[in-house]
Amino acid sequence: MEDQIHDACGVVGVYRPQAEASRIAFFGIFSLQHRGQESAGIATFDGSHREHLYRGNGLVASVFNEYDLENLPGELAIGHTRYSTTGITSVENAQPIRVSGPHGTIFVAHNGNIVNSVVLRKELGEKGVKFTTTSDSEVAAYLLAYSPGLTWEERIKSFMTRAQGAYSLTILTNEAVYGVRDPHGFRPLCYGELDDGWVIASETCALDNVGSSLVKEIEPGEIVKINSEGIAITQGTVKKTQLCIFENIYFSRPDSILNGEQVYSTRERMGAQLFRESHVPADLVTAIPDSAIPAGIGYANEAGIPYKETLIKNRNSGRTFIEPTQFLRDEAVRGKFTPLLKNIKGQRVILIDDSIVRGTTTRQVVELLRTSGAMEIHLRVSSPPIKFSCHYGIDMPNRDELIASNKSMIDIQKELGVDSLAYLEMQGLKQSVAGRNDSYCDACFTGEYPVPVQLELSKMVFEKIAKK
């Protein structure tokens, strides 16, 4: 079992006049692979209102080749890269998802989790909808397709009154691309200008990668429409903003902008605050690559202690669909990191991590530093203890698998084998990520869920229903 948490997906939407929008979509989802690496797909409508779709399992560059992109013509496109939070990894569950309803065919790409999807799926099934996937994203797509309204803006507003939970969507019709962010704004979404076209994406790093300049982050409940007529923004349902705080801690790329702040700078502030809360004498500060590095630098700068790399990450140790043996799984950290012995031996080390899930990887890293000659290891974590599961688009272990859910700080310290342990306090985290918006979803730390969650909701809920 991986000792990591994963975001659901990355989405893009493109209108590019007199050009193949699929190429922009390709490079957009390519830059969003940190959000999902299980499958990828692109859908387009061309000038003759003909639809085109290609998707498959694997990384973006392995799913698509030049021939595939040439066969995805059109000025309108949406793209998706997936990590599953509901439903197994399969081509059938890959996105964008194509559905047809009373108002024609649409394609939908979804980042998030619809927490009332079980109830909605049952209701849609009673209307005659035949589901072909085990994903809540198909439920969202059909709910959109069957929502009442004279225009897609009206149908999307109706959808917002029924769908509960997290969803940042790109929707493709034969006339436009829509970007939709749920009323709480759990997952990020933004749009930018590209020559005389437009790009919608989960993160600003995708805009940068295709040469698009950021216009604004889409607000919670907003509906953005792009096509040959330009851009139009409609305000749908709005509730208390609850952007997932883990976007700042781990998920979003450090070069992306959230709430008007570059994520790298936010993580540096977390590290600086972590020092102010829990400083300890040491010879150097280091971090577990890569997402914890900005916090490590922030801690070192505030402490006046040198920051040094101690672990070199193997850049080829990405996800694989080949199941390792238990021995290889136990030894995985040695294949992922190589220690810099000269920087470690005889040193008192402050080790920064951004979060601890089960503790397996952290414990193995600590052992690697010990065997490399570290004299002391003081672990500092730039987030509070994770004690609760997430149901809004993060694939997180069950609560009883989380190391902090049922262990004291002393027990965790002993299990990880460190000389001292401290987490960033909740108040310190909120001060670090404030930006333009001081309201975040922090349910994984506090257990206070903004939207009620069905007890039966689990990653494989629709597989179980299909077997009945």
Side-chain angles (χ1 to χ4, degrees):
M1 301 175 74
E2 286 187 88
D3 188 31
Q4 295 180 344
I5 50 180
H6 298 272
D7 200 1
C9 309
V11 302
V12 299
V14 181
Y15 166 66
R16 186 77 186 280
Q18 299 179 337
E20 292 181 357
S22 60
R23 292 184 180 276
I24 303 299
F26 170 86
F27 286 106
I29 58 175
F30 183 85
S31 63
L32 294 173
Q33 284 184 114
H34 59 288
R35 303 186 70 88
Q37 301 177 358
E38 289 186 0
S39 63
I42 295 173
T44 67
F45 267 112
D46 63 27
S48 301
H49 289 185
R50 290 175 299 190
E51 63 187 62
H52 308 272
L53 172 66
Y54 189 81
R55 57 189 184 172
N57 286 340
L59 299 173
V60 174
S62 65
V63 171
F64 293 95
N65 56 37
E66 186 65 28
Y67 174 82
D68 300 323
L69 293 177
E70 288 177 355
N71 283 275
L72 290 167
E75 300 180 343
L76 299 167
I78 64 172
H80 187 271
T81 182
R82 180 178 191 248
Y83 185 88
S84 57
T85 55
T86 302
I88 60 172
T89 301
S90 66
V91 174
E92 290 76 19
N93 283 342
Q95 299 183 36
I97 290 176
R98 178 192 183 277
V99 298
S100 293
H103 312 290
T105 297
I106 60 172
F107 294 88
V108 177
H110 172 215
N111 173 206
N113 258 21
I114 307 297
V115 299
N116 63 334
S117 56
V118 174
V119 172
L120 294 174
R121 181 178 168 120
K122 182 179 179 181
E123 291 179 5
L124 289 163
E126 291 171 351
K127 292 181 179 180
V129 172
K130 303 296 183 183
F131 292 94
T132 59
T133 80
T134 54
S135 166
D136 65 324
S137 300
E138 187 183 22
V139 176
Y142 270 115
L143 183 62
L144 277 164
Y146 280 83
S147 289
L150 297 178
T151 65
W152 279 110
E153 287 87 345
E154 291 180 2
R155 294 163 200 148
I156 293 168
K157 287 182 181 180
S158 176
F159 166 89
M160 287 182 172
T161 66
R162 298 298 320 282
Q164 298 174 13
Y167 53 87
S168 283
L169 309 172
T170 50
I171 305 164
L172 174 66
T173 73
N174 61 7
E175 295 180 342
V177 168
Y178 295 85
V180 180
R181 196 172 176 203
D182 71 70
H184 288 282
F186 284 109
R187 309 254 71 87
L189 200 64
C190 61
Y191 71 90
E193 194 169 6
L194 178 63
D195 298 329
D196 49 354
W198 302 91
V199 181
I200 299 168
S202 291
E203 291 183 40
T204 64
C205 65
L207 304 183
D208 297 335
N209 197 45
V210 300
S212 174
S213 56
L214 173 67
V215 174
K216 72 185 291 284
E217 297 174 69
I218 296 174
E219 300 294 332
E222 274 191 339
I223 304 164
V224 176
K225 176 184 178 182
I226 54 175
N227 63 4
S228 59
E229 297 176 0
I231 187 165
I233 300 176
T234 304
Q235 185 63 61
T237 306
V238 181
K239 298 182 180 178
K240 182 181 178 182
T241 301
Q242 302 275 194
L243 173 66
C244 171
I245 206 163
F246 241 97
E247 292 286 350
N248 285 285
I249 296 167
Y250 177 79
F251 290 126
S252 292
R253 251 176 48 172
D255 54 333
S256 286
I257 294 172
L258 285 178
N259 279 338
E261 291 265 3
Q262 191 161 60
V263 173
Y264 189 100
S265 299
T266 301
R267 291 175 184 167
E268 278 190 315
R269 289 199 299 271
M270 292 178 194
Q273 179 64 24
L274 187 57
F275 165 76
R276 290 190 287 268
E277 293 179 4
S278 56
H279 56 83
V280 63
D283 300 308
L284 65 90
V285 178
T286 192
I288 299 179
D290 285 319
S291 55
I293 290 175
I297 293 173
Y299 188 106
N301 289 342
E302 190 73 9
I305 300 174
Y307 178 87
K308 292 185 180 181
E309 291 188 5
T310 56
L311 301 168
I312 300 301
K313 189 174 183 179
N314 177 3
R315 302 299 172 184
N316 296 317
S317 61
R319 290 182 55 80
T320 175
F321 295 101
I322 306 301
E323 185 69 18
T325 64
Q326 186 61 47
F327 171 77
L328 291 176
R329 195 179 293 114
D330 292 339
E331 293 294 311
V333 72
R334 297 186 182 276
K336 193 172 184 179
F337 300 116
T338 301
L340 292 172
L341 300 179
K342 187 176 179 180
N343 287 355
I344 302 169
K345 190 173 182 179
Q347 300 296 297
R348 297 173 299 168
V349 176
I350 296 174
L351 176 64
I352 307 295
D353 202 355
D354 51 55
S355 56
I356 302 177
V357 187
R358 296 182 179 93
T360 307
T361 298
T362 307
R363 184 171 59 250
Q364 291 173 333
V365 167
V366 170
E367 291 174 358
L368 187 58
L369 293 175
R370 290 282 189 203
T371 58
S372 300
M375 190 166 63
E376 295 177 12
I377 301 175
H378 302 278
L379 180 61
R380 296 294 181 267
V381 186
S382 59
S383 65
I386 302 173
K387 297 183 177 182
F388 302 90
S389 296
C390 174
H391 300 282
Y392 306 132
I394 299 176
D395 184 27
M396 191 177 284
N398 295 326
R399 186 179 177 187
D400 57 4
E401 296 177 87
L402 299 169
I403 191 171
S405 68
N406 52 21
K407 286 184 170 65
S408 68
M409 195 72 70
I410 293 298
D411 289 338
I412 297 172
Q413 179 181 329
K414 290 179 179 178
E415 183 166 332
L416 298 179
V418 293
D419 296 282
S420 72
L421 168 67
Y423 290 84
L424 184 62
E425 298 289 340
M426 179 61 71
Q427 186 58 38
L429 174 62
K430 289 185 176 180
Q431 290 173 1
S432 301
V433 303
R436 293 187 295 106
N437 168 24
D438 61 0
S439 181
Y440 289 86
C441 176
D442 54 18
C444 54
F445 304 130
T446 64
E448 298 174 2
Y449 294 98
V451 178
V453 178
Q454 299 168 344
L455 293 176
E456 71 270 23
L457 186 66
S458 68
K459 183 173 180 175
M460 300 302 174
V461 62
F462 293 132
E463 277 80 7
K464 295 174 182 177
I465 291 174
K467 290 180 180 178
K468 291 182 179 180

